[in-house]
Amino acid sequence: MKAIGFTQHLPISDPHSLEDLTLPQPVPTGHDLLVNVHAVSVNPVDTGTRGGGRRQLAQPKIIGWDAVGTVTAIGDAVTLFHPGDRVYYAGSYKRAGSDAEYQLVDERIVGHAPTKLTDAQAAAMPLTSLTAWEALFEKLHIPLNNKAANARHTLLIINGSGGVGSVATQLAHWAGLQVIATASRPESQQWVRAHGADQVLNHRQPLPAQLHAAGYKNVDYILNLSHLDEHWSEIAEMIRPDGWIAAITENRQGIALQRLTKKRATFAWEWMFSKSWYGYDLASQGEILDRAAAMLDAGTLQNTLTKTLNPLNAANLRQAHALVESGHMIGKVVVTGPWAN
Ligand SMILES: NC(=O)c1ccc[n+]([C@@H]2O[C@H](COP(=O)([O-])OP(=O)(O)OC[C@H]3O[C@@H](n4cnc5c(N)ncnc54)[C@H](OP(=O)(O)O)[C@@H]3O)[C@@H](O)[C@H]2O)c1
């Protein structure tokens, strides 16, 4: 099969940072689906994993998480899918990734792809939808079906225009919350408003002063989707007593949790790969993806695709990595088939 991978962790400007490869096609066993991958999207986890290591690898490493494709074969324990089903998923951090013509993925972390979306649109959605959903409804414990109660509560999303923020803003608006999202440029500010933000703050300027100027004393929830070290002090200042904070980006230095002591505020991490990494509650991810697919088909959730490249080869995947590495993506970039290397 065709695949795209690397044996050295190189800057994306180096043509060897991602290379076209030919590898044996894997065979499904147990709960695994064999999926013919049609399109992939690139997330910061792709660029971080590709660029982050130091070692020269003995075997090519195939990364890639977001994918849409067709099931072509199934393991003997599979009950949820059949060959021919169109699926979308974000995969596991432990296994070979979606930058390959065929990939094995556990059926329990897979969703039925939204039927009204193109391959490129569907591939843009799984990882960010899982992250946003888990952060809002599992880690911040925002009630799913209580719009009236949620309407009295405020959520600040730091980085509203990136991949995760674009979905989190929509889901929070749908859940009934008053949504305040940050974006720093006219185009990203317009994007977050279009996706349901009631107020927009600029994360390049001090946030507490802007929050107060917008008429808010503090906020009930904060979802941090950007550099935690940079924003921590402001987060601790803006959260209300007994408020909830969730973050998805690891801090590089220690963060002062004692800043929350007197406010009794709760801090939680979200890592989209926790369930597949530790092997628990796997089916909840398939359920979230099916629910997101129904919302995408109904138009309750808008797909967040902003850039499509094709065909699927190393040159286009390098271009997509470079866009994500710029740190200024609005929405998502996807590389679609056919496979052509
Ligand atoms: N824990 C998990 O499960 C999980 C899952 C997904 C992602 N992540 C992590 O979460 C972060 C966001 O992911 P993503 O896919 O949404 O990223 P992304 O799409 O690359 O985010 C791009 C956006 O970041 C904004 N931004 C840049 N600098 C910022 C700053 N200093 N403060 C606030 N916003 C800033 C930019 O807005 P402007 O151009 O308007 O400044 C841009 O629109 C990444 O670090 C990623 O690794 C974690």
Side-chain angles (χ1 to χ4, degrees), residues 42-45 127-128 131 134 158-166 182-185 188-189 202-204 224-227 230-231 247-250 269-273 323-332:
V42 175
N43 291 279
V45 65
L127 192 146
T128 53
T131 308
E134 290 182 351
I158 299 177
N159 180 6
S161 57
V164 181
S166 303
T182 79
S184 74
R185 295 169 290 145
S188 51
Q189 291 173 346
N202 181 348
H203 46 242
R204 308 281 174 208
N224 180 63
L225 309 176
S226 186
H227 313 281
E230 176 186 326
H231 293 295
I248 71 167
T249 58
E250 220 169 350
W269 288 113
E270 160 60 18
W271 192 42
M272 198 282 308
F273 296 116
L323 284 169
V324 172
E325 279 186 359
S326 77
H328 292 295
M329 269 305 294
I330 294 177
K332 298 292 305 169

Side-chain angles (χ1 to χ4, degrees), residues 21-22 44 54 81 179 185 218 269 276 291 301 313 321:
L21 302 164
T22 303
R54 296 243 167 91
F81 295 93
V179 184
R185 295 169 290 145
N218 50 34
W269 288 113
S276 50
R291 200 156 178 175
L301 185 63
N313 60 22
H321 274 233

